[in-house]
Amino acid sequence: MPAPIISACPVRTRFGVLSIRPFIRFFSHTPVHHLRSTELTPDYLSSLRSNPDRIWTDIHTSASKFGPGRRWGQDPTHTGLTRLTLTDHDKAARDWFVETTKSLHCDVKVDAIGNTFAIRPGLNNDVPATFVGSHLDSQPLGGRFDGVLGVCAGIEMLRVLNDNHIETEGPVGVVNWTNEEGARFPVSMMGSGVWAGAQDLQSIYKLKEVNAGTNGQRRTVKEELERIGYLGNIPASPIEGVRMAGHFELHIEQGPKLDSEKKSVGVVEGVQSYQWYEIRVWGQASHAGATEFKYRADALLFASGIVVKAREMAEKAGVLATVGILRAEPGSVNTTPDSVYMTLDIRHRDNEMVATFAADFQGWLKQAAGREGGITFEMSKTFESRATKFDEVAIACVRDSAGAVTGKHDVPSMTSGAGHDSVNTSKHCPTAMVFVPCRKGVSHHPEEWCEKEHCAVGTDVIVQSVLRFDQWRHKEGHFGGSLDSNG
Amino acid sequence: MPAPIISACPVRTRFGVLSIRPFIRFFSHTPVHHLRSTELTPDYLSSLRSNPDRIWTDIHTSASKFGPGRRWGQDPTHTGLTRLTLTDHDKAARDWFVETTKSLHCDVKVDAIGNTFAIRPGLNNDVPATFVGSHLDSQPLGGRFDGVLGVCAGIEMLRVLNDNHIETEGPVGVVNWTNEEGARFPVSMMGSGVWAGAQDLQSIYKLKEVNAGTNGQRRTVKEELERIGYLGNIPASPIEGVRMAGHFELHIEQGPKLDSEKKSVGVVEGVQSYQWYEIRVWGQASHAGATEFKYRADALLFASGIVVKAREMAEKAGVLATVGILRAEPGSVNTTPDSVYMTLDIRHRDNEMVATFAADFQGWLKQAAGREGGITFEMSKTFESRATKFDEVAIACVRDSAGAVTGKHDVPSMTSGAGHDSVNTSKHCPTAMVFVPCRKGVSHHPEEWCEKEHCAVGTDVIVQSVLRFDQWRHKEGHFGGSLDSNG
Ligand SMILES: [Zn+2]
Ligand SMILES: [Zn+2]
């Protein structure tokens, strides 16, 4: 039941006549005064805070229950997260998300790719909701914060709004996007990509898991969505399905900038451009003791040269280039490898810089392989995400909120190095992101860590950003990119 | 039943009174004339030939039945061999070896490490046998000739002796050594090493397989010997167990020298010195898009530098150095690896050269890691095989036989780059090896190939070498290293 609002609160609001949530209020014994977001004073809004304990409990309780990973330290929370998308652990985490948000008075909708939207009605429910979103899935040996923090921040926002009896003009919600990581089914930002039209639903349905199960079979996305009960009946679409007025995402930085500069929060204004390549090198297997160097065509030696050269060329060009996977076959102490599979990840703020580097590198590779006897290679692009600039209004909401929460005017602006679901939502509605530091920038690793204080600061910024955005849309009559025709 | 001997044969021999194989002769209806090895004329001995079809059939029939590997060509024989030691396939191959040699009138003995000795009695069976030996196990993606050819040559020798009714002075035999490859249980030349005292039986019993089985368990050598029924009750020892007068091994070269020089056979006078190292590199996992180069400690980038530098330093020093295994964790496109496991194989004819190179390389590694922030490493020796010089008499037997078989005086002398079971036997008895070419020097690979003609030439040399050695030991009163006290 709603508790009486804090007496220090200076603002009272009239009852939200358009709300479809008046039930518990009509029959509540204690008369409750509700706050309308558009009538919150700047001081009141700036003083709104989340409850750090609740966020912390949500993160660690869900991690312990639904896919605990490798333990690395003394405390039980010093444990990673292994929650590959559409597994039983993921299903359990999804079920928890649905129950929790329903208990916080949300309607829950699941779309055709399993994206799960929890919507808290507003005063006007003919307009789309403003969402806080991220993902509950993890890398195979992931950490507890990547994605999860963003979803938990959304859940905490629901509690803060409920506890403070705040009515928003439009509805607000929380979304858990399916398979952001692309670790089990190899397309990252998959659910948001289908929703945004960047990925084709039918092709994605047929996508197979990377590793075969114990029965030797590789299951498809559709089979697994059905199996865990998250093949929803709502179209995955910003027009035909769940519409979106705005999207705000809190995420750990996954880089060392905030941590090393001792900043508690960053305003993310966009996402780098990046391209992924697969490189295969073939040589000849020969005995390590019986084959003189002149007779060898050592695929691993050549591949090692590629790793070293990629860094060297990237430093000169001012882009980022990383070889994250390298597998050498056959893998015997006394045999030169005859084949290597490796990946190359290239990033820069600017699309052209990435494309130019890729072309230059491929040129070097061709020349280098030509100089070696018996070495052949293939280099092919497997993924591309063009540079993203977030929406000015959404960024302003985040910037104002970050200033209000931290009391500082020098909150850093950042460009995300990693891709996020916000890249996809930004194509259809105002979107912005909030970064909080993670220890030493470590991510996609069990030891990934975000301090409790920073989880709370980030959530505070998210809560305030959504309310500021709600104020703005009401004032400007803006109802979101996916509803432009009605707006 | 024995057939009449060829009429062209100029030598007759008296009945072998000390033979314990007279059974079929006493009761044979056709009187058979037997040849005593010490009475064979040089011309007769030099004209002895194996049957190429039988060798070829043994190699390919056993490969098709007991662990066929990856097919790479048109003909059914164009298929590799996957017969890891002590697996069901290895058991089946061993059973075939036992049945076949028993049917050729051998006594079969299995020692405590599963080495299997088939002994054809001689005229004097109080002295140890002269063995032809090699191994029936393969690499995970191995070829059909490595090891198998040597065992099949031994089996063919039994047939040649039987068909020609040749009685040897001492017994002769064929030995299949356990786990020469060291692929499944990571100690190479394992069975012969235990026999020779180079490896401790109890430690080897506890050795675990490299990869866990489907039940997640890694089984031990002893468990697997028991399971397949090859935990013998004879000590694995050259004194207490099966004694050895001499050891001759036919093997594919596993290098390109004979093939590129169009030679059909080589006399192996010794084996290079070699050392194996494990190198582990630790860095830090960081996001490929969110971590500037200056903040990275990329274990794969550092390991790649090691691969490149090892080759560069080895070329300068005139030794061979090879990185055969490199595994990078966690293995994600957009994460810098935080740990790498790799191996280094160093070889040279001279022990000192190998040791000096290893020390110099470790010195460079220490300096290089010191220059990098956040990179640590460990380099440890896992195996060492000092340079081996084979026995002068055994080499002379091989050299004379190779000359007789090929009709050429320029049969090349070679030093083996690879380790073989003969390294272990050479510590206890006169030992020498015969090399035949393999196509392009490819080995430890499904496409490993030895021409039928070369398999036969090598077997001819082996058969004649054993007979020449038998003549020599009788003349000199030598009864083998493992029986020096009796000799
Ligand atoms: Zn994430
Ligand atoms: Zn071998």
Side-chain angles (χ1 to χ4, degrees), chain B residues 134-135 146-147 180-181 249 251 254 419-420 444:
Chain B
S134 200
H135 59 95
D146 176 359
E180 193 276 341
E181 295 293 357
E249 184 170 5
H251 207 283
Q254 301 183 284
H420 295 286
H444 288 188

Side-chain angles (χ1 to χ4, degrees), chain A residues 238-281:
Chain A
I239 314 289
E240 316 290 328
V242 176
R243 300 174 305 165
M244 211 163 267
H247 186 264
F248 291 89
E249 184 170 5
L250 168 63
H251 207 282
I252 54 169
E253 181 197 344
Q254 300 183 285
K257 199 168 144 77
L258 293 174
D259 186 53
S260 63
E261 294 174 8
K262 309 247 179 271
K263 303 282 187 185
S264 62
V265 70
V267 178
V268 187
E269 303 192 337
V271 178
Q272 283 187 76
S273 167
Y274 63 99
Q275 296 186 358
W276 286 356
Y277 289 84
E278 274 180 357
I279 303 174
R280 284 166 206 274
V281 178

Side-chain angles (χ1 to χ4, degrees), chain A residues 108-426:
Chain A
V108 176
K109 296 176 181 181
V110 180
D111 75 10
I113 195 65
N115 297 322
T116 306
F117 304 85
I119 300 167
R120 180 184 190 267
L123 298 171
N124 174 3
N125 292 294
D126 293 332
V127 299
T130 303
F131 280 93
V132 172
S134 201
H135 59 95
L136 289 172
D137 70 316
S138 84
Q139 288 281 325
L141 291 173
R144 300 189 148 199
F145 300 90
D146 176 358
V148 176
L149 172 59
V151 175
C152 290
I155 293 171
E156 177 61 15
M157 171 191 72
L158 298 173
R159 295 198 189 101
V160 171
L161 298 181
N162 289 354
D163 292 355
N164 291 284
H165 313 290
I166 296 172
E167 299 288 348
T168 51
E169 296 296 330
V172 297
V174 191
V175 50
N176 172 34
W177 298 106
T178 294
N179 189 23
E180 193 277 341
E181 295 293 357
R184 181 181 176 200
F185 297 100
V187 168
S188 64
M189 308 179 282
M190 189 186 85
S192 57
V194 172
W195 177 86
Q199 300 287 344
D200 172 62
L201 179 65
Q202 297 306 324
S203 313
I204 292 292
Y205 273 162
K206 289 177 205 143
L207 193 65
K208 287 186 171 169
E209 58 189 335
V210 170
N211 298 311
T214 46
N215 63 355
Q217 300 257 304
R218 291 165 59 212
R219 287 159 297 185
T220 64
V221 166
K222 191 168 188 193
E223 280 165 20
E224 286 295 272
L225 279 169
E226 270 175 341
R227 188 183 66 81
I228 68 163
Y230 278 83
L231 184 66
N233 50 14
I234 292 172
S237 157
I239 314 289
E240 316 290 328
V242 176
R243 300 174 305 165
M244 211 163 267
H247 186 264
F248 291 89
E249 184 170 5
L250 168 63
H251 207 282
I252 54 169
E253 181 197 344
Q254 300 183 285
K257 199 168 144 77
L258 293 174
D259 186 53
S260 63
E261 294 174 8
K262 309 247 179 271
K263 303 282 187 185
S264 62
V265 70
V267 178
V268 187
E269 303 192 337
V271 178
Q272 283 187 76
S273 167
Y274 63 99
Q275 296 186 358
W276 286 356
Y277 289 84
E278 274 180 357
I279 303 174
R280 284 166 206 274
V281 178
W282 292 279
Q284 192 166 305
S286 38
H287 195 286
T291 317
E292 290 168 44
F293 289 144
K294 65 177 173 182
Y295 290 117
R296 296 188 185 191
D298 184 334
L300 177 57
L301 179 65
F302 189 76
S304 298
I306 293 176
V307 177
V308 171
K309 187 71 178 184
R311 165 67 83 96
E312 190 189 307
M313 283 178 66
E315 275 178 359
K316 266 189 206 145
V319 306
L320 291 178
T322 307
V323 177
I325 300 177
L326 188 152
R327 292 191 208 115
E329 300 286 340
S332 161
V333 184
N334 57 0
T335 308
T336 59
D338 64 346
S339 90
V340 170
Y341 169 89
M342 59 201 291
T343 57
L344 180 64
D345 173 307
I346 309 168
R347 309 210 182 204
H348 192 270
R349 258 189 298 273
D350 182 53
N351 295 320
E352 269 312 299
M353 288 285 284
V354 172
T356 302
F357 180 82
D360 290 351
F361 192 73
Q362 195 147 13
W364 169 80
L365 198 47
K366 203 169 169 181
Q367 284 195 327
R371 281 190 300 267
E372 299 284 328
I375 294 285
T376 54
F377 80 97
E378 259 178 38
M379 174 172 167
S380 54
K381 202 196 295 182
T382 56
F383 192 73
E384 172 162 17
S385 179
R386 294 177 64 80
T388 300
K389 288 263 177 219
F390 289 146
D391 178 78
E392 302 254 317
V393 172
I395 292 171
C397 292
V398 169
R399 175 164 301 289
D400 291 351
S401 302
V405 169
T406 61
K408 289 178 182 160
H409 294 287
D410 63 343
V411 176
S413 288
M414 307 181 75
T415 297
S416 173
H420 294 286
D421 293 310
S422 289
V423 168
N424 285 319
T425 62
S426 72

Side-chain angles (χ1 to χ4, degrees), chain B residues 319-445:
Chain B
V319 306
L320 291 178
T322 307
V323 177
I325 300 177
L326 189 152
R327 294 192 207 113
E329 301 286 340
S332 161
V333 184
N334 58 359
T335 308
T336 59
D338 64 347
S339 90
V340 170
Y341 169 89
M342 60 200 290
T343 58
L344 180 65
D345 173 307
I346 309 169
R347 311 211 181 202
H348 192 269
R349 257 189 300 271
D350 182 53
N351 295 320
E352 269 313 297
M353 289 285 285
V354 172
T356 303
F357 180 82
D360 290 351
F361 192 73
Q362 195 148 12
W364 168 80
L365 199 47
K366 203 169 169 180
Q367 284 195 327
R371 281 192 299 268
E372 298 285 327
I375 293 285
T376 54
F377 80 98
E378 259 179 36
M379 174 170 166
S380 54
K381 202 197 294 183
T382 55
F383 192 74
E384 171 163 17
S385 180
R386 294 177 63 80
T388 300
K389 288 264 178 217
F390 289 145
D391 179 77
E392 302 255 315
V393 173
I395 292 171
C397 291
V398 169
R399 175 163 301 290
D400 291 351
S401 302
V405 170
T406 61
K408 289 180 183 158
H409 294 285
D410 62 343
V411 176
S413 289
M414 308 181 75
T415 297
S416 173
H420 295 286
D421 293 310
S422 290
V423 168
N424 285 319
T425 62
S426 72
K427 293 166 188 158
H428 296 280
C429 67
T431 294
M433 290 184 72
V434 181
F435 271 177
V436 284
C438 55
R439 192 175 51 203
K440 289 186 182 169
V442 172
S443 178
H444 288 188
H445 191 280

Side-chain angles (χ1 to χ4, degrees), chain B residues 72 77 104 109 115 129 131 165 169 177 184 205 208 212 226 258 328 375 439 445 469 471-472:
Chain B
W72 51 268
T77 62
L104 295 168
K109 295 174 181 181
N115 297 322
F131 281 93
H165 313 292
E169 296 296 329
W177 298 105
R184 181 182 175 200
Y205 272 163
K208 286 185 172 170
E226 270 174 342
L258 292 175
I375 293 285
R439 192 175 51 203
H445 191 280
F469 187 75
Q471 292 178 336
W472 171 83

